[in-house]
Amino acid sequence: MGWSYRKSLKMGPFRLNFSKKGVGHSVGARGARYTRSADGRRQMTLRIPGTGLTWRRSLKSSSRSSRG
């Protein structure tokens, strides 16, 4: 089992997440949160507080390649 590192700083509805892969961020309230991880993955999380029920959906990353 390898070592891992994770630390987060809260600033109101915003959160900065530090890991060994880099820095990610998230924004939201108690029941809903949008997250962008250090490696670029995006996900939406919805929770019903007090029940343990969570719904997560990975979002497609936008392609910024130029065509022509």
Side-chain angles (χ1 to χ4, degrees), residues 2-17:
W3 290 91
S4 65
Y5 174 76
R6 185 172 171 211
K7 174 70 178 169
S8 66
L9 296 174
K10 292 183 194 177
M11 296 172 280
F14 302 99
R15 185 180 294 167
L16 286 176
N17 305 302

Side-chain angles (χ1 to χ4, degrees), residues 2 7 15-16 22 33 38 48 50 54 64 67:
K7 174 70 178 169
R15 185 180 294 167
L16 286 176
R33 184 161 292 278
I48 301 174
T54 302
R64 294 189 179 196
R67 295 180 183 182

Side-chain angles (χ1 to χ4, degrees), residues 36-56:
R36 179 122 191 194
S37 66
D39 59 4
R41 289 179 292 146
R42 300 182 308 156
Q43 78 178 20
M44 177 64 71
T45 305
L46 300 174
R47 284 187 285 163
I48 301 174
T51 65
L53 295 174
T54 302
W55 176 82
R56 284 190 185 143

Side-chain angles (χ1 to χ4, degrees), residues 53-68:
L53 295 174
T54 302
W55 176 82
R56 284 190 185 143
R57 177 165 193 158
S58 294
L59 304 172
K60 293 182 179 179
S61 59
S62 60
S63 174
R64 294 189 179 196
S65 63
S66 61
R67 295 180 183 182

